[in-house]
């Protein structure tokens, strides 16, 4: 296709908005006059994306209870979007992550003759393996952010391209800790714990109190440790309240956003399972991964889990490189002990710290590609492929 294509996109949540923004950069490199519309967030809007609904409308947490509370509104949005796209077909529809929303929509659009691309292979290698059939029906092509995924999809007859992980290109191979500390008002020789309990409302509800209770125990053991928490503006008041409830009022530095600066600056991070754990690995930081959710959501998720790990650094390494403390195991005492163990290693176990840095550097290099360009090139080929 030589003319500028008409593109529709759906990105859910902050991480999807970031991915879609980078993809739009690559697409505009091929087609400077490109227009795209659908569901998106602020990163996409900065690239001229026309959002019919904001991506935050799709943000949910958990596997059952939390989703059901918002399901009616989300399904209504999908029905309206489906009708609009079926009436006025785009040349290609790109679903960015949000598989529960996007795969069904993609299947309907593809059945009606629209080419469909799914950006970020659902983690069928970790849990919910039955999704592979839905992916095969839904996606003309899948853009993969992990190098082993295209071969896995090919076994099921699904075309795919590895485009690298965009975070590996955004985060420098050697982070500038000194600059990050200066920007955050931290001294070069401070011992710093970063606390990242997640950005969703339910994560703040279920995870933040445990993390701050653990942080209080850490500070009792080592009063000189400084603690810093990056928070989205909408959650700052609740996070401050949780810190106060744990006896940490005025003892935790709360910053608006700036999670990358915080990870670059810290020595150790106590972090909720999710994409942020991969960011911490790319910053080469030792971490303790914790998570807690509604008990019913937890039971349903565990039934579909295929691997012994939930943290991305451990999944990609195939080993418990960093500790995971989940659900009932995520007690403040256990979390604090694991954090203090890393601080002990920083002072007394250089070999362990060097081994972790080596693992995370190798991981970074394996994920580092020109993601916007590779993804845009793959989409251009899909548009030109009569089989798509």
């Amino acid at each position: 296709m030589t003319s500028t294509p008409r593109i529709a996109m759906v990105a859910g949540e902050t991480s999807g908005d970031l991915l879609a923004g980078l993809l739009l950069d690559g697409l505009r490199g091929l087609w400077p006059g490109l227009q795209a519309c659908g569901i998106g967030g602020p990163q996409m809007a900065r690239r001229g994306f026309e959002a019919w609904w904001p991506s935050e409308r799709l943000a949910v947490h958990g596997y059952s209870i939390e989703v059901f509370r918002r399901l009616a509104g989300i399904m209504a949005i999908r029905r309206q979007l489906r009708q609009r796209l079926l009436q006025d077909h785009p040349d290609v529809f790109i679903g960015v992550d949000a598989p529960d929303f996007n795969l069904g929509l993609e299947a309907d659009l593809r059945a009606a003759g629209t080419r469909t691309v799914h950006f970020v292979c659902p983690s069928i290698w970790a849990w919910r393996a039955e999704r592979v059939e839905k992916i095969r029906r839904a996606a003309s092509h899948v853009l993969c952010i992990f190098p082993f995924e295209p071969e896995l999809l090919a076994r099921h007859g699904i075309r795919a391209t590895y485009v690298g992980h965009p975070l590996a290109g955004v985060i420098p191979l050697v982070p500038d800790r000194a600059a990050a500390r200066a920007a955050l008002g931290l001294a070069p020789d401070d011992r710093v714990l970063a606390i990242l309990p997640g950005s969703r409302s339910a994560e703040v509800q279920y995870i933040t109190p445990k993390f701050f209770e653990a942080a209080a125990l850490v500070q009792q053991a080592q009063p000189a440790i400084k603690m810093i928490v990056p928070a989205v503006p909408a959650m700052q008041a609740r996070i401050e309240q949780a810190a106060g409830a744990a006896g940490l009022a005025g003892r935790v530095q709360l910053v608006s956003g700036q999670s990358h600066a915080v990870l670059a600056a810290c020595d150790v991070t106590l972090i909720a399972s999710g994409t942020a754990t991969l960011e911490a690995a790319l910053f080469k930081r030792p971490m303790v991964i914790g998570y807690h959710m509604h008990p019913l959501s937890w039971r349903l998720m565990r039934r579909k889990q295929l691997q012994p790990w939930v943290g991305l650094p451990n999944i990609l390494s195939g080993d418990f490189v960093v500790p995971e403390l989940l659900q009932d195991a995520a007690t403040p005492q256990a979390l604090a002990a694991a954090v203090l163990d890393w601080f002990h290693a920083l002072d007394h176990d250089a070999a362990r710290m060097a081994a972790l840095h080596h693992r995370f550097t190798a991981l970074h290099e394996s994920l580092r590609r020109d993601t916007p360009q590779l993804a845009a090139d793959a989409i251009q080929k899909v548009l030109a492929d009569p089989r798509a």
Side-chain angles (χ1 to χ4, degrees):
M1 174 177 286
T2 56
S3 60
T4 300
R6 297 170 56 250
I7 291 179
M9 301 176 71
V10 169
E13 305 189 36
T14 302
S15 58
D17 178 44
L18 173 63
L19 290 170
L22 294 171
L23 176 55
L24 284 168
D25 287 340
L27 292 171
R28 290 194 187 284
L30 293 175
W31 299 291
L34 180 105
Q35 297 295 314
C37 56
I39 299 177
Q43 294 292 336
M44 299 164 73
R46 291 191 189 108
R47 277 85 169 182
F49 182 83
E50 180 186 353
W52 298 337
W53 292 273
S55 58
E56 64 189 35
R57 294 284 295 275
L58 307 187
V60 293
H61 166 79
Y63 186 68
S64 61
I65 300 299
E66 296 86 356
V67 174
F68 292 153
R69 289 174 180 161
R70 299 186 57 191
L71 185 60
I74 292 172
M75 294 304 293
I77 290 173
R78 189 164 72 169
R79 283 194 300 271
Q80 294 173 55
L81 178 62
R82 176 184 178 275
Q83 182 178 8
R84 189 166 182 173
L85 295 178
L86 287 174
Q87 288 176 347
D88 187 13
H89 286 263
D91 293 306
V92 63
F93 173 84
I94 305 169
V96 183
D97 213 356
D100 289 317
F101 185 97
N102 278 325
L103 290 177
L105 179 60
E106 289 166 20
D108 291 342
L109 294 173
R110 191 181 184 197
T114 297
R115 289 172 169 82
T116 57
V117 173
H118 194 79
F119 187 14
V120 182
C121 176
S123 50
I124 53 174
W125 36 266
W127 72 307
R128 295 183 70 178
E130 74 278 2
R131 269 184 172 173
V132 71
E133 297 300 326
K134 183 176 282 190
I135 298 168
R136 180 159 47 198
R137 291 193 306 271
S140 307
H141 205 88
V142 178
L143 303 177
C144 300
I145 60 174
F146 298 123
F148 60 85
E149 292 173 328
E151 182 181 351
L152 173 63
L153 292 174
R155 293 182 210 147
H156 299 278
I158 301 168
R159 297 185 182 93
T161 300
Y162 173 54
V163 299
H165 200 297
L167 285 172
V170 171
I171 296 171
L173 199 60
V174 181
D176 191 339
R177 177 181 297 200
R181 289 194 167 203
L184 295 169
L186 298 166
D189 58 350
D190 282 339
R191 277 289 191 231
V192 180
L193 172 65
I195 304 170
L196 282 77
S199 59
R200 301 169 181 169
S201 176
E203 288 174 332
V204 173
Q205 175 185 349
Y206 286 106
I207 300 170
T208 300
K210 291 180 180 295
F211 275 20
F212 281 139
E213 289 171 29
L217 295 172
V218 169
Q219 197 163 71
Q220 287 175 22
Q222 294 197 26
I225 290 176
K226 294 190 174 181
M227 303 185 181
I228 186 166
V229 183
V232 297
M235 295 295 159
Q236 284 189 12
R238 291 177 61 185
I239 289 174
E240 287 176 350
Q241 184 179 17
L248 293 174
R251 299 166 73 184
V252 173
Q253 181 179 347
L254 191 67
V255 297
S256 181
Q258 303 182 73
S259 62
H260 282 194
V262 168
L263 288 172
C266 75
D267 293 296
V268 178
T269 178
L270 175 58
I271 192 165
S273 178
T275 302
T277 63
L278 179 59
E279 294 175 295
L282 295 174
F283 278 103
K284 324 299 182 300
R285 296 299 180 252
M287 73 191 82
V288 175
I289 298 173
Y291 211 73
H292 195 271
M293 61 175 64
H294 190 282
L296 179 57
S297 296
W298 173 253
R299 286 196 295 271
L300 291 171
M301 189 192 78
R302 290 291 282 180
R303 288 180 195 159
K304 295 179 177 288
Q305 186 177 344
L306 301 177
Q307 298 198 39
W309 317 282
V310 300
L312 280 169
N314 290 339
I315 289 172
L316 294 170
S317 300
D319 193 8
F320 281 104
V321 178
V322 297
E324 297 181 359
L325 295 166
L326 312 173
Q327 205 63 6
D328 293 341
T331 65
Q333 293 76 16
L335 293 167
V339 167
L340 289 167
D341 185 55
W342 277 124
F343 277 107
H344 181 269
L346 283 167
D347 293 324
H348 303 288
D349 196 342
R352 182 185 179 193
M353 301 311 302
L356 183 76
H357 190 274
H358 177 76
R359 297 284 293 264
F360 284 168
T361 299
L363 175 62
H364 197 152
E365 290 172 340
S366 74
L367 298 177
R368 201 177 191 192
R369 300 290 186 275
D370 186 350
T371 300
Q373 185 64 55
L374 291 172
D377 289 345
I379 291 169
Q380 186 179 39
K381 290 176 182 175
V382 169
L383 286 165
D385 187 351
R387 302 171 299 167

